[in-house]
């Protein structure tokens, strides 16, 4: 899909769900983004990306985010 790497910024639209998972892989908590935001990527997996939001690490589905690209000069 997208070439997203740790350290990149991604655009997360409002109403996208962020997840935290417990050790057994089940969702421990979740939240819906109240407004669109650009978030920092800390880890990348096949179907999810770990992002930083309000000082915590959250997972988001790759299909729900968009990479921010540097503007062409």
């Amino acid at each position: 899909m997208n070439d997203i790497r740790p350290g990149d910024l991604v655009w997360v639209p409002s109403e996208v769900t962020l997840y935290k998972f417990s050790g057994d892989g089940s969702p421990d908590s979740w939240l819906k983004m109240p407004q669109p935001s650009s978030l920092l990527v800390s880890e990348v997996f096949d179907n999810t990306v770990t992002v930083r939001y309000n000082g915590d690490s959250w997972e988001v589905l790759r299909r729900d985010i968009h990479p921010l690209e540097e503007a062409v000069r």
Side-chain angles (χ1 to χ4, degrees):
M1 186 180 151
N2 302 328
D3 186 29
I4 298 173
R5 297 181 302 267
D8 287 350
L9 289 175
V10 291
W11 180 253
V12 182
S14 62
E15 299 299 312
V16 166
T17 304
L18 303 181
Y19 301 93
K20 285 191 180 190
F21 293 97
S22 62
D24 65 359
S26 60
D28 193 32
S29 60
W30 59 273
L31 69 87
K32 283 201 178 218
M33 291 295 292
Q35 61 189 15
S37 299
S38 41
L39 302 178
L40 179 66
V41 174
S42 58
E43 294 182 82
V44 177
F45 303 101
D46 289 336
N47 296 317
T48 63
V49 171
T50 303
V51 294
R52 299 290 296 172
Y53 178 70
N54 283 344
D56 289 322
S57 292
W58 294 87
E59 291 204 35
V60 60
L61 294 173
R62 287 180 70 130
R63 69 173 188 227
D64 292 338
I65 61 174
H66 309 283
L68 289 178
E69 298 182 16
E70 188 174 326
V72 178
R73 294 180 187 225

